[in-house]
């Protein structure tokens, strides 16, 4: 993988939208029962549709970091 792809979703290269982070989390966890965390950084998130969480998202934590 190129550096730009392998760093997606990190502090150095965060996803641009919450929806993208959720989609990547679902893909990474496909078929797994392990938990995952989406960390939201301070800011304003525009253009987001409502997040529709399902049973497949069980174990997911959405953490808000206000610093």
């Amino acid at each position: 993988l190129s550096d730009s792809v392998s760093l997606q979703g990190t502090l150095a290269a965060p996803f641009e939208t919450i929806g993208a982070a959720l989609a990547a989390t679902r893909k990474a966890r496909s078929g797994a029962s392990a938990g995952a965390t989406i960390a939201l950084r301070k800011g304003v998130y525009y253009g987001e549709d409502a997040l529709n969480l399902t049973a497949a998202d069980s174990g997911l934590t959405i953490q808000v970091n206000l610093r």
Side-chain angles (χ1 to χ4, degrees), residues 32-54:
S33 61
T37 300
I38 295 174
L40 301 179
R41 295 170 63 188
K42 185 177 180 179
V44 178
Y45 296 87
Y46 293 103
E48 289 290 323
D49 292 330
L51 294 178
N52 294 310
L53 302 176
T54 68

Side-chain angles (χ1 to χ4, degrees), residues 7-60:
L7 291 177
Q8 279 188 316
T10 65
L11 187 59
F15 290 110
E16 291 185 15
T17 67
I18 299 169
L22 183 58
T25 301
R26 286 174 172 162
K27 184 176 179 182
R29 295 180 60 210
S30 181
S33 61
T37 300
I38 295 174
L40 301 179
R41 295 170 63 188
K42 185 177 180 179
V44 178
Y45 296 87
Y46 293 103
E48 289 290 323
D49 292 330
L51 294 178
N52 294 310
L53 302 176
T54 68
D57 298 310
S58 179
L60 174 66

Side-chain angles (χ1 to χ4, degrees), residues 4 12 34:
S4 63

